[in-house]
Amino acid sequence: MKIKKILVTGGTGGIGSSIVACLSAQPGFVVHAPSRSELDLGLQESIKEYFSRSSDYDIVINNAGINTPQNIEQIETEQIETALNINLVAPLLVIKYCVPHMKRQGFGRIVNVSSIWGIRSKERRTLYSATKFGLNGMTRSLARELGPFNILVNSICPGYVDTALTRKNVTPKEQEKIRQEIPLRRFAEPREIAESIAFLVSERNSYMTGQTLIVDGGFIA
Ligand SMILES: NC(=O)c1ccc[n+]([C@@H]2O[C@H](COP(=O)([O-])OP(=O)(O)OC[C@H]3O[C@@H](n4cnc5c(N)ncnc54)[C@H](OP(=O)(O)O)[C@@H]3O)[C@@H](O)[C@H]2O)c1
């Protein structure tokens, strides 16, 4: 079996570190998770430079993302640019640079880490939802375009995951209220998101593409 080379962005984060641990533990995978100093997703020049050195990834997981909830009047112009760049433009560029290798070998798996706020939304998530809805749209278009080359493209939409990002954006009181609205009555462990991604990028997934897989304990059902 050919060893598959995987790129995971945001591999230092709450969900990203679980993705790296989960995939590294599986035979046949070599996982690369560049730090921000090696690949700054907010800077298009940094992205171009990184992939000019190496772009032969068989599997790409666009996981890095930011979420800074704000009322519309508080949003600064520079913050719009930053959110769009990191959450939307960067995944697009990463895919653009990795697709030629995938096409050449007739195999590729791409997972974009989106959010339930890319399916529905809530107050103070204007920028976040704009980028995550965009990511889900991009996933569908790419799935159609790249399907003939056996490159499967999916989004995963986590609900509330027990991470530092969630604890920063949701007060303990709100967390308790939300837990009662989740049919499973708890937030996801990062490992549970990683396991779903592991399936999507594996050869066991041979027919699922263009999907937005919701992993939210039933929250938006
Ligand atoms: N946590 C949740 O409940 C939840 C729910 C739904 C969806 N998500 C999505 O899941 C993904 C991961 O979230 P998380 O909770 O693991 O977030 P996190 O702990 O805040 O991690 C974010 C990751 O993105 C990286 N990153 C941010 N800006 C970057 C930049 N300019 N260049 C390179 N890397 C950058 C961070 O790197 P540094 O270490 O350098 O900062 C970090 O590794 C995100 O796309 C998020 O939107 C999360």
Side-chain angles (χ1 to χ4, degrees), residues 153-174:
V153 190
N154 290 288
S155 285
I156 187 155
C157 298
Y160 287 90
V161 186
D162 190 13
T163 62
L165 185 68
T166 302
R167 288 189 287 274
K168 175 170 77 75
N169 289 338
V170 191
T171 66
K173 199 173 162 203
E174 283 172 324

Side-chain angles (χ1 to χ4, degrees), residues 109-153:
R109 296 282 185 277
I110 297 169
V111 174
N112 295 316
V113 180
S114 180
S115 167
I116 50 168
W117 309 128
I119 304 277
R120 57 178 269 190
S121 197
K122 66 181 288 190
E123 61 282 359
R124 306 179 77 236
R125 299 301 189 282
T126 305
L127 271 180
Y128 192 63
S129 277
T131 60
K132 296 299 190 182
F133 270 79
L135 197 55
N136 288 343
M138 200 170 91
T139 296
R140 291 181 182 193
S141 175
L142 286 168
R144 295 198 61 95
E145 181 176 329
L146 300 175
F149 303 93
N150 189 31
I151 302 171
L152 279 52
V153 190

